[in-house]
């Protein structure tokens, strides 16, 4: 049987690990041409492949892609992984502080999937504007101007751009050692993949029964106590 204190401690550790993963996610990737990961845009050498799965591509997308397409795939995975890590933190923190936050008179409550609909009018437009500004900045850093790209190569990335390297490292956590830097790239990908699965699970579970994430932990504790697990 797990006490509420144990559950709270576990949740704090989970949030701390996700925060660390998100911070690492925005550290810039290698820019130097000496980077082993920088030159690894073939299906055999892409970062993120770990035992026992190795390079997991059951549908063969990588085999059918040229180097530029593979680079876009990598950019998409990194970007979605970062968003998912922030989403997981948002789920946990948003539901943990509901009813006690200084924002919106502490009126927002319930499962996290219902929170956007409770935001006062006008704030959603501000949020969309901020997201758009961030995406525009990312596009200016990594993408070739559409006017300079061929019509049959939409979303073409710059030759000197490494997917995910937006130059944002406020904590100064980027390693100087190349092997450690390549390892951080792989860790970011793995954390992002896990977060994408977690965020999808959170969304599906809350949509099915209308309970928040913390409420599911409480229900699990009660059921464990009832059945002597």
């Amino acid at each position: 049987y797990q006490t509420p204190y144990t559950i709270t401690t576990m949740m704090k550790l989970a949030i701390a690990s996700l925060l660390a993963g998100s911070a690492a996610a925005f550290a810039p990737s290698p820019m130097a041409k000496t980077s082993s990961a920088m030159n690894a845009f073939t299906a055999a050498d892409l970062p993120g492949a770990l035992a026992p799965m190795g390079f997991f591509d059951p549908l063969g997308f990588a085999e059918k892609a040229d180097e530029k397409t593979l680079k876009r795939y990598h950019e998409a995975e990194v970007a979605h992984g970062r968003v998912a890590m922030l989403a997981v933190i948002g789920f946990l923190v948003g539901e943990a502080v509901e009813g006690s936050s200084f924002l919106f008179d502490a009126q927002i409550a319930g499962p996290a999937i219902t929170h956007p609909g409770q935001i006062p009018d006008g704030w959603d437009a501000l949020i969309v504007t901020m997201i758009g500004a961030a995406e525009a900045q990312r596009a200016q850093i990594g993408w070739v101007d559409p006017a300079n790209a061929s019509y049959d190569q939409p979303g073409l990335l710059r030759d000197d751009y490494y997917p995910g390297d937006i130059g944002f490292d406020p904590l100064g956590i980027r390693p100087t050692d190349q092997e450690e830097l390549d390892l951080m790239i792989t860790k970011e990908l793995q954390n992002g993949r896990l977060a994408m699965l977690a965020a999808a699970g959170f969304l599906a579970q809350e949509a099915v029964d209308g309970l928040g994430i913390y409420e599911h932990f409480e229900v699990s504790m009660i059921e464990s106590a009832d059945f002597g697990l």
Side-chain angles (χ1 to χ4, degrees):
Y1 175 70
Q2 293 179 312
T3 65
Y5 174 79
T6 302
I7 292 294
T8 300
T9 301
M10 291 171 61
M11 295 304 298
K12 287 181 179 178
L13 290 173
I15 293 173
S17 63
L18 284 168
L19 284 169
S22 295
F26 289 93
S29 301
M31 288 297 292
K33 292 294 183 180
T34 56
S35 168
S36 60
M38 180 67 185
N39 300 320
F41 276 100
T42 63
D45 299 320
L46 273 176
L50 293 176
M53 300 302 296
F55 186 76
F56 185 73
D57 183 25
L59 299 181
F61 287 113
E63 295 179 0
K64 304 171 186 176
D66 57 21
E67 183 178 352
K68 293 180 179 179
T69 302
L70 201 59
K71 194 173 181 179
R72 288 205 307 273
Y73 287 166
H74 189 46
E75 169 72 19
E77 181 177 21
V78 172
H80 283 84
R82 290 172 177 176
V83 171
M85 284 188 277
L86 293 175
V88 169
I89 295 172
F91 265 94
L92 298 175
V93 174
E95 293 183 5
V97 301
E98 66 178 28
S100 61
S101 173
F102 65 91
L103 295 172
F104 313 121
D105 295 325
Q107 296 300 309
I108 296 180
I113 60 172
T114 67
H115 290 184
Q118 300 177 56
I119 296 175
D121 294 338
W123 282 90
D124 50 354
L126 177 61
I127 294 172
V128 170
T129 299
M130 294 174 64
I131 294 173
E135 286 295 281
Q137 179 67 16
R138 186 167 70 99
Q140 289 178 350
I141 294 173
W143 271 257
V144 173
D145 190 323
N148 300 324
S150 174
Y151 72 92
D152 60 348
Q153 291 184 322
L156 184 64
L157 296 176
R158 299 179 187 274
D159 291 336
D160 60 351
Y161 173 71
Y162 185 84
D165 186 359
I166 57 177
F168 184 71
D169 184 22
L171 301 180
I173 60 177
R174 173 180 172 172
T176 56
D177 180 76
Q178 190 57 55
E179 290 186 5
E180 293 181 3
L181 186 58
D182 291 345
L183 180 60
M184 175 176 280
I185 295 172
T186 297
K187 287 180 177 179
E188 176 185 6
L189 286 168
Q190 296 295 338
N191 286 331
R193 291 163 180 169
L194 178 60
M196 284 188 276
L197 293 174
F202 286 0
L203 286 165
Q205 188 64 60
E206 292 194 353
V208 168
D209 56 20
L211 295 178
I213 302 304
Y214 288 98
E215 291 177 289
H216 284 107
F217 277 97
E218 294 173 359
V219 170
S220 177
M221 289 173 57
I222 294 173
E223 291 177 346
S224 296
D226 289 342
F227 291 98
L229 299 177

